[in-house]
Amino acid sequence: MAKVPVVAKTVIVPFILITSLFALWGFANDITNPMVSAFKKVLELDNFKASLVQMAFYGGYFTMALPAAIFVNKYSYKKGVLLGLALYAIGALLFYPAAEFEAFGFFLAALYILTFGLAFLETTANPYILSMGAEETATQRLNLAQAFNPMGALGGLIVAQKFILGSLQSDDLNADGTSVFETLNEASKSVIRTADLQVIRNPYVLLGVVVIGFFILIAMMKMPQNKEQETKVSVVGSIKRLFSSKKFVWGVIAQAFYVGAQIMCWTYLYQYAESIGIDNQSAVTYGISALVIFLTGRWVGTALLKYINSGRLLFYFSIGALICTLTTIFVPGMIGLYALVGISFFMSIMFPTIYGIALEGQGEDAKFGAAFLVMAIVGGALMPTLQGLILDMGGVGYTDIKILGVPEVNFSFILPASCFLIIGYYGIMVYKKNF
């Protein structure tokens, strides 16, 4: 019996082009994560207000995912990708006027529109990759494509470290470790604020130009069509069929908690590091390490999926993530930080594996199933905001009070720990075929 290829030679070029989009939205995700801390300092915000960066970013996914699926159902995967790239570019370019007006709300609006584009791309690209070959290799194919997402994310973090955080004057410290910016008068702060917001602006504007380049390239390329998955289907009928499947419904729930856990671990890594005396620019090194470990885990996990049932592997990785998170909470100092970085290895396979399991066998309903799985990314908007509220319990610092004997920044990771329990439950139920 001939071995079924993960990616057929006939679609290799379109596969590479669509896979490149995974890196493109990974870049946007991880250049934005450190911006929570950056905006907090530049605009002198509390933790809750700063967390609205993630609310705007991931809220855009929730808003636009279902409209994206409806658009793709009416037109095609290719047109969905092109509209996504157009919205992505517009949102990125809006950082220019946002910096000119020096308005936090304008920045949030730009991020919100940018993620309209990302919602289109994720709603379209994920099922598009699944459709580029046999169904039995679909989860492997999606894990392969998703492996390029952390490569883009790594690029985003490096740009954030070298070209943004390293250049922010509002992050400068005195010899005793206290903030210089906080001691200045309002006129001096205004000059620094203007300069720092321009520093934040420039990489996003350049990103918008790069996205326009991808738009032109894909517009010119002939892309494959999967007649089964690009068939026009009834929206209402499709949604009814999807929500009659426990495996799909629980997949959406698991995905929401996974994205919430990922964004909390990657966003508040900087606050955790700062609580033990590591400045933001230096903390990016740990963020980069987390992404390298995440990428390693993705390749290892993709290989293991050839031998281990996807539900079972998801359960094993959830337990590993839970152990690391509990270490982050209850073992203070560098060991806790190393454990926080290590969580990324176990998170690596979760998104594509949950995605692949939930959409397995959905056929023509996959495009709408994809929309609900992308809407589940709203977990990345809501849960970091809850973590920000925990951090504000004792004040704007990160070690103002102790909860269960540990500083509030440590305790706040009880939220991702809870998420990993739910993901583990989904994995074991799928493995036991209870869903």
Side-chain angles (χ1 to χ4, degrees), residues 41 60 65 82 182 192 215 234 280 353 373 391 395 400:
K41 291 181 178 178
L82 290 175
E182 291 177 2
I192 290 175
F215 178 94
S234 163
N280 262 1
T353 302
L373 286 162
L391 289 177
D400 301 305

Side-chain angles (χ1 to χ4, degrees), residues 77 99 130 135 137 164 166 223 315 318 337 340 350 352 372 380 398 427:
Y77 282 138
L130 290 174
E135 187 163 306
T137 57
I164 300 180
M223 304 296 284
F315 173 72
S318 298
L337 181 58
L340 179 52
M350 291 182 180
F372 287 103
Y398 308 129

Side-chain angles (χ1 to χ4, degrees), residues 268-276 328 331 336-337 409-410 413:
Y268 291 105
L269 180 149
Y270 301 94
Q271 285 79 348
Y272 193 98
E274 190 173 331
S275 75
I276 57 175
T328 297
V331 182
L337 181 58
V409 68
N410 293 58
F413 284 90

Side-chain angles (χ1 to χ4, degrees), residues 277-296:
I278 300 171
D279 66 81
N280 262 1
Q281 187 181 5
S282 300
V284 174
T285 302
Y286 294 94
I288 291 171
S289 299
L291 273 173
V292 171
I293 289 170
F294 185 85
L295 180 58
T296 303

Side-chain angles (χ1 to χ4, degrees), residues 59-395:
Y61 279 101
F62 182 80
T63 305
M64 197 52 65
L66 192 55
I70 293 170
F71 180 89
V72 170
N73 184 53
K74 186 173 181 180
Y75 298 102
S76 67
Y77 282 138
K78 179 178 178 177
K79 288 180 179 177
V81 166
L82 290 175
L83 183 53
L85 288 169
L87 290 167
Y88 186 169
I90 291 167
L93 294 173
L94 281 174
F95 265 65
Y96 193 94
E100 292 301 305
F101 283 101
E102 299 187 7
F104 185 50
F106 204 147
F107 280 107
L108 295 181
L111 284 170
Y112 192 51
I113 292 168
L114 186 155
T115 50
F116 284 177
L118 299 190
F120 260 89
L121 292 180
E122 294 214 36
T123 301
T124 306
N126 283 296
Y128 203 2
I129 290 292
L130 290 174
S131 76
M132 288 184 182
E135 187 163 306
E136 58 263 42
T137 57
T139 300
Q140 282 179 259
R141 190 161 47 254
L142 185 58
N143 267 280
L144 175 60
Q146 284 274 357
F148 290 86
N149 175 266
M151 292 183 183
L154 189 59
L157 264 185
I158 291 171
V159 169
Q161 182 187 42
K162 301 297 183 183
F163 299 102
I164 300 180
L165 299 179
S167 303
L168 294 179
Q169 299 175 59
S170 57
D171 205 25
D172 290 344
L173 301 176
N174 290 305
D176 62 358
T178 58
S179 170
V180 175
F181 187 65
E182 291 177 2
T183 66
L184 300 176
N185 60 39
E186 191 51 45
S188 298
K189 283 183 177 180
S190 180
V191 172
I192 290 175
R193 187 177 295 116
T194 298
D196 281 0
L197 290 176
Q198 289 175 355
V199 167
I200 292 171
R201 172 200 72 191
N202 293 339
Y204 282 91
V205 172
L206 182 59
L207 177 60
V209 174
V210 171
V211 172
I212 291 171
F214 272 91
F215 178 94
I216 295 169
L217 188 60
I218 291 175
M220 295 171 61
M221 177 68 63
K222 184 177 180 181
M223 304 296 284
Q225 284 184 290
N226 184 303
K227 297 300 181 184
E228 178 188 354
Q229 292 202 7
E230 296 212 40
T231 302
K232 308 298 181 286
V233 296
S234 163
V235 178
V236 175
S238 180
I239 291 173
K240 283 182 178 178
R241 287 190 294 273
L242 287 167
F243 280 87
S244 67
S245 166
K246 285 182 69 176
K247 185 175 73 170
F248 175 77
V249 172
W250 272 95
V252 172
I253 293 168
Q255 199 72 290
F257 282 102
Y258 163 68
V259 177
Q262 177 192 294
I263 302 310
M264 286 186 287
C265 290
W266 287 357
T267 297
Y268 291 105
L269 180 149
Y270 301 94
Q271 285 79 348
Y272 193 98
E274 190 173 331
S275 75
I276 57 175
I278 300 171
D279 66 81
N280 262 1
Q281 187 181 5
S282 300
V284 174
T285 302
Y286 294 94
I288 291 171
S289 299
L291 273 173
V292 171
I293 289 170
F294 185 85
L295 180 58
T296 303
R298 181 65 61 79
W299 289 111
V300 170
T302 300
L304 288 174
L305 279 168
K306 295 178 183 178
Y307 311 103
I308 303 175
N309 173 275
S310 55
R312 190 175 188 178
L313 190 64
L314 183 63
F315 173 72
Y316 289 157
F317 273 51
S318 298
I319 296 302
L322 179 61
I323 291 169
C324 286
T325 310
L326 292 174
T327 304
T328 297
I329 296 169
F330 293 110
V331 182
M334 291 305 299
I335 292 175
L337 181 58
Y338 292 146
L340 179 52
V341 170
I343 294 169
S344 292
F345 180 89
F346 298 104
M347 290 195 297
S348 61
I349 67 154
M350 291 182 180
F351 186 95
T353 302
I354 294 168
Y355 200 104
I357 291 170
L359 290 187
E360 185 179 14
Q362 300 298 344
E364 63 185 13
D365 296 327
K367 60 173 73 75
F368 291 107
F372 287 103
L373 286 162
V374 171
M375 287 175 74
I377 291 174
V378 76
L382 300 176
M383 300 203 73
T385 305
L386 293 177
Q387 193 166 4
L389 288 172
I390 292 175
L391 289 177
D392 279 335
M393 286 174 69

